[in-house]
Amino acid sequence: MAEVAQKVLTWDEYVHGEPADLERYEIVDGVVIELPAPTVRHQWIVGNLHLLLKQQENVVVVLVAPCDVVVRREKLRTRQPDLVLIRKERVSDLKALLQQERIDFAPDVVVEVLSPSDSITTLMEKLDDYHQIGVREVWLVNPATETVEVLVWQQEGWNSLGIFRKGEPIKSKALPELELNVGQVFEGV
């Protein structure tokens, strides 16, 4: 990830449109970091997940990156997970949600499709940020191994609910009603 500006961005500057010329970025302690363009394979997997989850709109509202999730306003920090999942019953007014510029509450689940450029340090920082805002579950989708690991937040930290492979359903504590098979996620890859 490359830093776009050395200037430290404030909440007010962010709310009023900065960084205006970027689409894929995260802000870490006020510093805008441009995210590398995802690979075609990465986007194919995100697309598969989005289509599969959209078929279950009675359970979940699905948002696809780029969509800012605010971690904190002071020492501004935002993340752009590949997918944001919110339990349908938490969204009393879908039209109001769709008018928001950003997500400033904890999604139930965030999905991160791993890239070769992801470092373990960056991943751990993201997990810490998701914990700070109250995300209950993180799905780590690994294109290299064609697996989905589901991490659940518990008192002692993030714990793996399991690493699920082709032919297996993805188990979720946050969204147990979802019916999703790992093979569908990687179909066509």
Side-chain angles (χ1 to χ4, degrees):
M1 293 189 288
E3 289 185 11
V4 172
Q6 293 301 319
K7 174 186 166 198
V8 175
L9 196 63
T10 66
W11 174 256
D12 287 337
E13 290 166 331
Y14 167 68
V15 167
H16 290 99
E18 288 195 43
D21 57 340
L22 296 177
E23 187 172 283
R24 298 254 321 145
Y25 63 87
E26 292 182 329
I27 303 171
V28 177
D29 297 335
V31 177
V32 178
I33 300 172
E34 185 174 10
L35 299 175
T39 65
V40 173
R41 185 172 193 215
H42 179 280
Q43 291 305 90
W44 184 271
I45 293 166
V46 170
N48 281 352
L49 273 164
H50 183 241
L51 288 172
L52 292 164
L53 291 163
K54 285 290 282 181
Q55 295 171 12
Q56 300 188 50
E57 285 186 322
N58 59 321
V59 176
V60 66
V61 173
V62 185
L63 303 171
V64 181
C67 180
D68 288 354
V69 175
V70 177
V71 176
R72 65 176 178 248
R73 293 179 180 200
E74 292 299 317
K75 285 194 168 186
L76 180 61
R77 204 176 261 258
T78 67
R79 294 293 181 183
Q80 286 188 358
D82 291 299
L83 293 157
V84 172
L85 310 182
I86 306 163
R87 289 193 66 80
K88 183 78 169 197
E89 70 246 12
R90 290 184 60 206
V91 181
S92 58
D93 186 350
L94 183 58
K95 286 185 181 185
L97 175 66
L98 297 177
Q99 296 303 313
Q100 292 186 19
E101 297 286 322
R102 62 201 57 84
I103 303 297
D104 59 2
F105 59 89
D108 292 289
V109 176
V110 297
V111 179
E112 293 281 356
V113 177
L114 303 176
S115 299
S117 62
D118 292 335
S119 72
I120 192 70
T121 302
T122 301
L123 179 59
M124 296 308 289
E125 287 174 358
K126 287 182 182 186
L127 289 173
D128 187 49
D129 287 345
Y130 296 144
H131 161 63
Q132 285 181 33
I133 62 172
V135 174
R136 297 172 51 199
E137 197 168 277
V138 176
W139 295 5
L140 300 177
V141 179
N142 190 332
T145 59
E146 295 191 353
T147 58
V148 177
E149 182 172 14
V150 176
L151 301 176
V152 178
W153 180 257
Q154 295 177 335
Q155 199 74 12
E156 61 277 4
W158 290 105
N159 288 315
S160 181
L161 187 61
I163 298 175
F164 305 101
R165 293 170 172 69
K166 282 187 175 180
E168 297 177 340
I170 298 171
K171 295 179 183 167
S172 170
K173 280 194 172 184
L175 299 164
E177 310 90 334
L178 286 184
E179 295 179 16
L180 199 62
N181 187 292
V182 176
Q184 295 172 296
V185 173
F186 297 100
E187 191 170 317
V189 201

Coordinates of all heavy atoms in Angstrom, one line a residue, residues 14-89:
Y14 N -12.3 14.9 5.8 CA -12.8 13.7 5.2 C -14.3 13.8 4.9 O -14.7 13.4 3.8 CB -12.5 12.6 6.2 CG -13.3 11.3 6.0 CD1 -12.9 10.5 4.9 CD2 -14.2 10.8 6.9 CE1 -13.6 9.3 4.7 CE2 -14.9 9.6 6.6 CZ -14.5 8.8 5.5 OH -15.2 7.7 5.3
V15 N -15.1 14.3 5.8 CA -16.5 14.4 5.6 C -16.8 15.4 4.4 O -17.8 15.2 3.7 CB -17.2 14.9 6.9 CG1 -18.6 15.4 6.7 CG2 -17.2 13.9 8.0
H16 N -16.0 16.3 4.2 CA -16.2 17.3 3.1 C -15.5 16.9 1.8 O -15.3 17.7 1.0 CB -15.8 18.7 3.6 CG -16.7 19.3 4.6 ND1 -16.4 19.2 5.9 CD2 -17.9 19.8 4.5 CE1 -17.4 19.7 6.6 NE2 -18.3 20.1 5.8
G17 N -15.2 15.6 1.7 CA -14.9 15.1 0.4 C -13.4 14.7 0.1 O -13.1 14.3 -1.0
E18 N -12.6 14.8 1.1 CA -11.2 14.3 0.8 C -11.1 12.8 1.2 O -11.8 12.4 2.2 CB -10.2 15.1 1.6 CG -10.0 16.5 1.1 CD -8.8 17.2 1.6 OE1 -7.8 16.5 1.6 OE2 -8.9 18.4 1.9
P19 N -10.4 12.0 0.6 CA -9.6 12.2 -0.6 C -10.5 12.1 -1.9 O -11.1 11.1 -2.2 CB -8.6 11.1 -0.6 CG -9.2 10.0 0.1 CD -10.1 10.7 1.1
A20 N -10.7 13.2 -2.6 CA -11.7 13.3 -3.6 C -11.3 12.5 -4.9 O -12.2 12.1 -5.6 CB -11.9 14.8 -4.0
D21 N -10.0 12.4 -5.1 CA -9.6 11.7 -6.4 C -9.3 10.2 -6.3 O -8.9 9.6 -7.2 CB -8.4 12.5 -6.9 CG -7.2 12.5 -5.9 OD1 -7.5 12.3 -4.7 OD2 -6.1 12.7 -6.4
L22 N -9.6 9.6 -5.1 CA -9.3 8.2 -5.0 C -10.6 7.4 -4.7 O -11.6 8.0 -4.1 CB -8.4 8.0 -3.8 CG -7.0 8.5 -3.9 CD1 -6.2 8.3 -2.6 CD2 -6.3 7.9 -5.1
E23 N -10.6 6.2 -5.1 CA -11.8 5.3 -4.9 C -11.4 4.3 -3.9 O -12.2 4.0 -3.0 CB -12.3 4.7 -6.2 CG -13.6 4.0 -6.0 CD -14.1 3.5 -7.3 OE1 -14.7 4.4 -8.1 OE2 -14.0 2.3 -7.7
R24 N -10.3 3.6 -4.0 CA -9.9 2.5 -3.1 C -8.8 3.0 -2.2 O -7.6 3.2 -2.7 CB -9.4 1.3 -4.0 CG -10.4 0.7 -4.9 CD -11.0 -0.6 -4.4 NE -10.1 -1.5 -3.9 CZ -10.4 -2.3 -2.9 NH1 -11.6 -2.3 -2.4 NH2 -9.5 -3.2 -2.4
Y25 N -9.1 3.2 -1.0 CA -8.1 3.7 0.0 C -8.6 3.4 1.4 O -9.7 3.0 1.6 CB -8.0 5.3 -0.1 CG -9.3 6.0 0.2 CD1 -9.6 6.3 1.5 CD2 -10.2 6.3 -0.8 CE1 -10.8 6.9 1.9 CE2 -11.4 6.9 -0.5 CZ -11.7 7.2 0.9 OH -12.9 7.7 1.2
E26 N -7.7 3.4 2.3 CA -8.0 3.4 3.7 C -7.3 4.5 4.4 O -6.3 5.1 3.8 CB -7.6 2.0 4.3 CG -8.4 0.9 3.8 CD -8.1 -0.5 4.4 OE1 -6.9 -0.7 4.7 OE2 -9.0 -1.3 4.4
I27 N -7.8 5.0 5.5 CA -7.1 6.0 6.2 C -6.7 5.5 7.6 O -7.5 4.9 8.3 CB -8.1 7.2 6.4 CG1 -8.6 7.7 5.1 CG2 -7.4 8.4 7.2 CD1 -9.7 8.7 5.2
V28 N -5.4 5.6 7.8 CA -4.8 5.1 9.0 C -4.1 6.2 9.8 O -3.1 6.8 9.3 CB -3.8 3.9 8.7 CG1 -3.1 3.4 10.0 CG2 -4.4 2.8 8.0
D29 N -4.7 6.6 10.9 CA -4.2 7.7 11.7 C -4.1 9.0 10.9 O -3.2 9.7 11.0 CB -2.9 7.3 12.4 CG -3.0 6.2 13.4 OD1 -4.2 5.9 13.9 OD2 -2.0 5.5 13.7
G30 N -5.1 9.2 10.1 CA -5.2 10.4 9.3 C -4.5 10.4 8.0 O -4.6 11.2 7.1
V31 N -3.6 9.4 7.7 CA -2.8 9.3 6.5 C -3.6 8.4 5.5 O -4.0 7.3 5.8 CB -1.4 8.7 6.8 CG1 -0.7 8.5 5.5 CG2 -0.7 9.5 7.8
V32 N -3.8 9.0 4.3 CA -4.5 8.3 3.3 C -3.6 7.3 2.6 O -2.5 7.7 2.1 CB -5.1 9.3 2.2 CG1 -5.8 8.5 1.1 CG2 -6.0 10.3 2.9
I33 N -4.0 6.0 2.6 CA -3.2 5.0 1.9 C -4.0 4.4 0.8 O -5.1 3.8 1.0 CB -2.9 3.9 3.0 CG1 -2.1 4.5 4.1 CG2 -2.1 2.8 2.3 CD1 -1.8 3.6 5.3
E34 N -3.5 4.6 -0.4 CA -4.2 4.1 -1.6 C -4.0 2.6 -1.6 O -2.9 2.0 -1.5 CB -3.6 4.7 -2.9 CG -4.3 4.3 -4.1 CD -3.8 5.0 -5.3 OE1 -2.8 5.7 -5.3 OE2 -4.5 4.9 -6.4
L35 N -5.1 1.9 -1.9 CA -5.0 0.4 -2.0 C -4.7 0.0 -3.4 O -5.2 0.6 -4.4 CB -6.4 -0.2 -1.6 CG -6.8 0.1 -0.1 CD1 -8.2 -0.4 0.1 CD2 -5.9 -0.5 0.9
P36 N -3.9 -1.0 -3.6 CA -3.6 -1.4 -4.9 C -4.8 -2.0 -5.6 O -5.7 -2.5 -4.9 CB -2.5 -2.5 -4.7 CG -2.6 -3.0 -3.3 CD -3.2 -1.8 -2.6
A37 N -4.9 -1.9 -6.9 CA -6.0 -2.4 -7.7 C -6.1 -3.9 -7.4 O -5.0 -4.6 -7.5 CB -5.8 -2.1 -9.2
P38 N -7.3 -4.4 -7.2 CA -7.4 -5.9 -7.0 C -7.2 -6.6 -8.3 O -7.4 -6.1 -9.4 CB -8.8 -6.0 -6.5 CG -9.5 -4.8 -6.8 CD -8.5 -3.7 -7.0
T39 N -6.8 -7.9 -8.2 CA -6.6 -8.7 -9.4 C -8.0 -9.1 -9.9 O -9.0 -9.0 -9.2 CB -5.8 -10.0 -9.1 OG1 -6.6 -10.8 -8.2 CG2 -4.4 -9.7 -8.5
V40 N -8.0 -9.6 -11.2 CA -9.2 -10.0 -11.8 C -9.8 -11.2 -11.0 O -11.0 -11.2 -10.7 CB -9.0 -10.4 -13.3 CG1 -10.2 -11.0 -13.9 CG2 -8.5 -9.2 -14.1
R41 N -8.9 -12.1 -10.6 CA -9.4 -13.3 -9.8 C -10.0 -12.8 -8.5 O -11.1 -13.3 -8.1 CB -8.2 -14.2 -9.5 CG -8.6 -15.5 -8.8 CD -7.4 -16.4 -8.8 NE -7.9 -17.7 -8.4 CZ -7.3 -18.6 -7.6 NH1 -6.0 -18.3 -7.2 NH2 -7.8 -19.7 -7.3
H42 N -9.4 -11.9 -7.8 CA -9.9 -11.3 -6.6 C -11.3 -10.8 -6.8 O -12.3 -11.0 -6.0 CB -9.0 -10.2 -6.1 CG -9.4 -9.5 -4.9 ND1 -10.3 -8.5 -4.8 CD2 -8.9 -9.6 -3.6 CE1 -10.5 -8.0 -3.6 NE2 -9.6 -8.7 -2.8
Q43 N -11.5 -10.0 -7.8 CA -12.8 -9.4 -8.1 C -13.8 -10.4 -8.5 O -15.0 -10.3 -8.2 CB -12.7 -8.3 -9.2 CG -11.9 -7.1 -8.7 CD -12.5 -6.5 -7.5 OE1 -12.2 -6.8 -6.3 NE2 -13.5 -5.6 -7.7
W44 N -13.4 -11.5 -9.2 CA -14.3 -12.6 -9.6 C -14.9 -13.2 -8.3 O -16.1 -13.4 -8.2 CB -13.6 -13.6 -10.4 CG -14.5 -14.7 -10.9 CD1 -14.7 -15.9 -10.3 CD2 -15.2 -14.7 -12.1 NE1 -15.6 -16.6 -11.0 CE2 -15.9 -16.0 -12.2 CE3 -15.3 -13.9 -13.2 CZ2 -16.7 -16.3 -13.3 CZ3 -16.1 -14.2 -14.3 CH2 -16.7 -15.4 -14.3
I45 N -14.0 -13.4 -7.3 CA -14.4 -14.0 -6.1 C -15.4 -13.1 -5.3 O -16.4 -13.5 -4.8 CB -13.2 -14.4 -5.2 CG1 -12.4 -15.6 -5.9 CG2 -13.6 -14.8 -3.8 CD1 -11.0 -15.8 -5.4
V46 N -15.0 -11.8 -5.2 CA -15.9 -10.8 -4.6 C -17.3 -10.8 -5.3 O -18.3 -10.8 -4.6 CB -15.3 -9.4 -4.6 CG1 -16.3 -8.4 -4.2 CG2 -14.0 -9.4 -3.7
G47 N -17.2 -10.9 -6.6 CA -18.5 -10.9 -7.4 C -19.3 -12.1 -7.1 O -20.5 -12.1 -6.9
N48 N -18.7 -13.3 -7.0 CA -19.4 -14.5 -6.6 C -20.0 -14.4 -5.3 O -21.2 -14.7 -5.1 CB -18.4 -15.7 -6.6 CG -18.1 -16.3 -8.0 OD1 -18.7 -15.9 -9.0 ND2 -17.2 -17.2 -8.0
L49 N -19.3 -13.9 -4.3 CA -19.8 -13.8 -3.0 C -21.0 -12.8 -3.0 O -22.0 -13.1 -2.3 CB -18.7 -13.3 -2.0 CG -17.9 -14.3 -1.4 CD1 -16.6 -13.7 -0.8 CD2 -18.6 -15.0 -0.3
H50 N -20.8 -11.7 -3.7 CA -21.9 -10.7 -3.7 C -23.2 -11.3 -4.3 O -24.3 -11.1 -3.7 CB -21.4 -9.5 -4.5 CG -22.5 -8.4 -4.5 ND1 -23.0 -7.9 -5.7 CD2 -23.0 -7.7 -3.5 CE1 -23.9 -7.0 -5.4 NE2 -23.9 -6.8 -4.1
L51 N -23.1 -12.0 -5.4 CA -24.2 -12.6 -6.0 C -24.9 -13.6 -5.1 O -26.1 -13.7 -5.0 CB -23.9 -13.3 -7.3 CG -23.6 -12.3 -8.5 CD1 -23.0 -13.1 -9.7 CD2 -24.8 -11.5 -8.9
L52 N -24.1 -14.5 -4.5 CA -24.6 -15.5 -3.6 C -25.3 -14.9 -2.4 O -26.4 -15.3 -1.9 CB -23.5 -16.4 -3.1 CG -22.8 -17.3 -4.2 CD1 -21.5 -17.9 -3.7 CD2 -23.8 -18.4 -4.6
L53 N -24.7 -13.8 -1.8 CA -25.3 -13.2 -0.6 C -26.5 -12.4 -1.0 O -27.5 -12.3 -0.2 CB -24.3 -12.4 0.1 CG -23.2 -13.2 0.8 CD1 -21.9 -12.3 1.1 CD2 -23.7 -13.9 2.0
K54 N -26.6 -11.8 -2.2 CA -27.7 -11.0 -2.6 C -29.0 -11.9 -2.7 O -30.1 -11.4 -2.5 CB -27.5 -10.3 -3.9 CG -26.6 -9.1 -3.9 CD -27.2 -7.9 -3.2 CE -28.2 -7.2 -4.1 NZ -28.8 -6.0 -3.5
Q55 N -28.7 -13.2 -3.0 CA -29.9 -14.1 -3.0 C -30.4 -14.4 -1.7 O -31.5 -15.1 -1.6 CB -29.4 -15.4 -3.7 CG -29.0 -15.3 -5.1 CD -28.3 -16.5 -5.7 OE1 -28.4 -17.6 -5.1 NE2 -27.7 -16.4 -6.9
Q56 N -29.8 -13.9 -0.6 CA -30.3 -14.2 0.8 C -30.6 -12.8 1.4 O -30.3 -12.7 2.6 CB -29.2 -15.0 1.5 CG -28.9 -16.3 0.8 CD -28.0 -17.2 1.6 OE1 -28.3 -17.4 2.8 NE2 -27.1 -17.8 0.9
E57 N -31.2 -11.9 0.7 CA -31.5 -10.6 1.2 C -32.5 -10.6 2.3 O -32.7 -9.6 3.0 CB -32.0 -9.7 0.1 CG -30.9 -9.2 -0.8 CD -31.3 -8.2 -1.8 OE1 -32.4 -8.3 -2.4 OE2 -30.6 -7.2 -2.1
N58 N -33.2 -11.7 2.5 CA -34.1 -11.8 3.7 C -33.4 -12.0 5.0 O -33.9 -11.7 6.0 CB -35.1 -13.0 3.5 CG -34.3 -14.4 3.4 OD1 -33.2 -14.4 2.7 ND2 -34.8 -15.4 4.0
V59 N -32.1 -12.3 4.9 CA -31.2 -12.4 6.1 C -30.2 -11.3 6.2 O -30.0 -10.8 7.3 CB -30.4 -13.8 6.0 CG1 -29.4 -13.9 7.1 CG2 -31.3 -15.0 5.9
V60 N -29.7 -10.8 5.1 CA -28.5 -9.9 5.2 C -28.6 -8.8 4.1 O -29.0 -9.0 3.0 CB -27.2 -10.7 5.1 CG1 -27.0 -11.4 3.7 CG2 -26.0 -9.9 5.4
V61 N -28.1 -7.6 4.5 CA -27.8 -6.6 3.6 C -26.3 -6.6 3.2 O -25.5 -6.7 4.1 CB -28.2 -5.2 4.2 CG1 -27.8 -4.1 3.3 CG2 -29.7 -5.1 4.5
V62 N -26.0 -6.6 1.9 CA -24.6 -6.8 1.5 C -24.2 -5.5 0.8 O -24.9 -5.0 -0.1 CB -24.5 -7.9 0.5 CG1 -23.1 -8.2 0.1 CG2 -25.2 -9.2 1.0
L63 N -23.0 -5.0 1.2 CA -22.4 -3.8 0.5 C -21.0 -4.2 0.1 O -20.3 -4.9 0.7 CB -22.3 -2.7 1.5 CG -23.6 -2.2 2.1 CD1 -23.4 -1.2 3.2 CD2 -24.6 -1.6 1.1
V64 N -20.7 -3.8 -1.2 CA -19.4 -4.1 -1.8 C -18.5 -2.9 -1.8 O -18.9 -1.8 -2.0 CB -19.7 -4.6 -3.2 CG1 -18.4 -5.0 -3.9 CG2 -20.7 -5.7 -3.3
A65 N -17.2 -3.2 -1.6 CA -16.2 -2.2 -1.7 C -16.2 -1.5 -3.0 O -16.6 -2.1 -4.0 CB -14.8 -2.8 -1.4
P66 N -15.8 -0.2 -3.1 CA -15.4 0.6 -2.0 C -16.5 1.2 -1.2 O -17.4 1.8 -1.8 CB -14.5 1.7 -2.7 CG -15.1 1.8 -4.0 CD -15.7 0.4 -4.4
C67 N -16.5 0.9 0.1 CA -17.4 1.5 1.0 C -16.7 1.7 2.3 O -16.2 0.7 2.9 CB -18.6 0.5 1.2 SG -19.9 1.1 2.3
D68 N -16.6 2.9 2.8 CA -15.8 3.2 4.0 C -16.5 2.8 5.2 O -17.7 3.0 5.4 CB -15.6 4.7 4.1 CG -14.5 5.3 3.1 OD1 -13.9 4.5 2.4 OD2 -14.3 6.5 3.1
V69 N -15.8 2.1 6.1 CA -16.3 1.8 7.4 C -15.4 2.6 8.4 O -14.2 2.5 8.4 CB -16.1 0.3 7.7 CG1 -16.5 0.0 9.2 CG2 -17.0 -0.6 6.8
V70 N -16.1 3.5 9.2 CA -15.4 4.4 10.1 C -15.0 3.6 11.3 O -15.8 3.0 12.0 CB -16.2 5.6 10.4 CG1 -15.5 6.5 11.4 CG2 -16.5 6.4 9.2
V71 N -13.7 3.6 11.6 CA -13.2 3.0 12.9 C -13.2 4.0 14.0 O -13.6 3.8 15.1 CB -11.8 2.4 12.6 CG1 -11.2 1.8 13.9 CG2 -11.8 1.3 11.5
R72 N -12.6 5.2 13.7 CA -12.6 6.3 14.7 C -12.5 7.6 13.9 O -11.9 7.7 12.8 CB -11.6 6.1 15.7 CG -10.2 6.2 15.2 CD -9.2 6.1 16.4 NE -7.8 6.0 15.9 CZ -7.0 5.0 15.9 NH1 -7.4 3.9 16.5 NH2 -5.8 5.1 15.4
R73 N -12.9 8.7 14.6 CA -12.9 10.0 14.0 C -11.6 10.8 14.4 O -11.0 11.5 13.6 CB -14.1 10.9 14.5 CG -15.4 10.3 13.9 CD -16.5 11.1 14.4 NE -17.8 10.6 13.8 CZ -18.9 11.2 13.7 NH1 -19.0 12.5 14.1 NH2 -19.9 10.6 13.2
E74 N -11.1 10.6 15.7 CA -9.9 11.3 16.1 C -8.8 10.3 15.7 O -8.9 9.1 15.9 CB -9.9 11.5 17.6 CG -10.9 12.6 18.0 CD -10.6 13.9 17.4 OE1 -9.4 14.4 17.3 OE2 -11.5 14.6 16.9
K75 N -7.7 10.9 15.2 CA -6.7 10.0 14.5 C -7.4 9.2 13.5 O -7.5 7.9 13.6 CB -5.9 9.2 15.5 CG -4.9 9.9 16.3 CD -4.0 8.9 17.0 CE -2.7 9.7 17.5 NZ -1.8 8.7 18.1
L76 N -8.1 9.9 12.6 CA -9.0 9.3 11.7 C -8.6 8.0 11.1 O -7.4 7.8 10.7 CB -9.2 10.3 10.5 CG -10.2 9.9 9.4 CD1 -11.6 9.6 10.0 CD2 -10.2 10.9 8.3
R77 N -9.5 7.0 11.1 CA -9.2 5.7 10.6 C -10.4 5.1 10.0 O -11.5 5.1 10.5 CB -8.8 4.8 11.8 CG -7.9 3.6 11.4 CD -7.5 2.8 12.6 NE -6.2 3.2 13.0 CZ -5.1 2.4 12.8 NH1 -5.2 1.3 12.2 NH2 -3.9 2.8 13.2
T78 N -10.3 4.7 8.7 CA -11.4 4.0 8.0 C -10.8 2.7 7.3 O -9.6 2.6 7.1 CB -12.0 4.9 6.9 OG1 -11.0 5.1 5.8 CG2 -12.4 6.2 7.4
R79 N -11.7 1.8 7.1 CA -11.3 0.6 6.4 C -12.3 0.4 5.2 O -13.4 0.9 5.3 CB -11.3 -0.6 7.3 CG -10.3 -0.6 8.4 CD -8.9 -0.7 7.9 NE -7.9 -0.7 8.9 CZ -6.6 -0.7 8.7 NH1 -6.1 -0.7 7.4 NH2 -5.7 -0.7 9.7
Q80 N -11.9 -0.4 4.2 CA -12.7 -0.7 3.1 C -12.7 -2.2 2.9 O -12.0 -2.7 2.0 CB -12.3 0.0 1.8 CG -12.7 1.5 1.8 CD -12.4 2.1 0.4 OE1 -12.0 1.5 -0.5 NE2 -12.8 3.4 0.3
P81 N -13.4 -3.0 3.7 CA -13.4 -4.4 3.5 C -14.1 -4.7 2.1 O -14.8 -3.9 1.6 CB -14.3 -5.0 4.6 CG -15.0 -3.8 5.2 CD -14.3 -2.6 4.8
D82 N -13.8 -5.9 1.6 CA -14.3 -6.3 0.3 C -15.9 -6.4 0.3 O -16.5 -5.9 -0.6 CB -13.7 -7.6 -0.2 CG -12.3 -7.4 -0.5 OD1 -12.0 -6.6 -1.4 OD2 -11.4 -8.1 0.1
L83 N -16.4 -6.9 1.4 CA -17.9 -6.9 1.6 C -18.2 -6.6 3.0 O -17.5 -7.0 4.0 CB -18.4 -8.3 1.3 CG -18.3 -8.8 -0.2 CD1 -18.3 -10.3 -0.3 CD2 -19.4 -8.2 -1.0
V84 N -19.3 -5.9 3.2 CA -19.8 -5.6 4.5 C -21.2 -6.3 4.6 O -22.1 -6.1 3.7 CB -20.0 -4.0 4.7 CG1 -20.7 -3.7 5.9 CG2 -18.7 -3.4 4.6
L85 N -21.4 -7.0 5.7 CA -22.7 -7.7 5.9 C -23.4 -7.2 7.1 O -22.7 -7.2 8.2 CB -22.4 -9.3 6.0 CG -21.6 -9.9 4.9 CD1 -21.5 -11.4 5.1 CD2 -22.1 -9.6 3.5
I86 N -24.6 -6.9 7.0 CA -25.4 -6.4 8.1 C -26.7 -7.2 8.2 O -27.4 -7.3 7.2 CB -25.8 -4.9 7.9 CG1 -24.5 -4.1 7.7 CG2 -26.5 -4.3 9.1 CD1 -24.7 -2.7 7.0
R87 N -27.0 -7.7 9.4 CA -28.2 -8.4 9.6 C -29.4 -7.6 9.1 O -29.5 -6.4 9.5 CB -28.4 -8.9 11.0 CG -27.5 -10.0 11.5 CD -27.9 -10.5 12.8 NE -29.1 -11.3 12.7 CZ -29.3 -12.5 12.2 NH1 -28.2 -13.2 11.8 NH2 -30.4 -13.1 12.1
K88 N -30.3 -8.2 8.4 CA -31.5 -7.5 7.8 C -32.3 -6.8 8.9 O -32.7 -5.6 8.7 CB -32.3 -8.5 7.0 CG -33.5 -7.9 6.4 CD -33.1 -7.2 5.1 CE -34.3 -6.8 4.3 NZ -34.1 -6.5 2.9
E89 N -32.5 -7.4 10.0 CA -33.3 -6.8 11.1 C -32.7 -5.6 11.7 O -33.4 -4.8 12.4 CB -33.7 -7.9 12.2 CG -32.5 -8.3 13.0 CD -32.1 -9.8 12.8 OE1 -32.6 -10.4 11.9 OE2 -31.4 -10.2 13.7

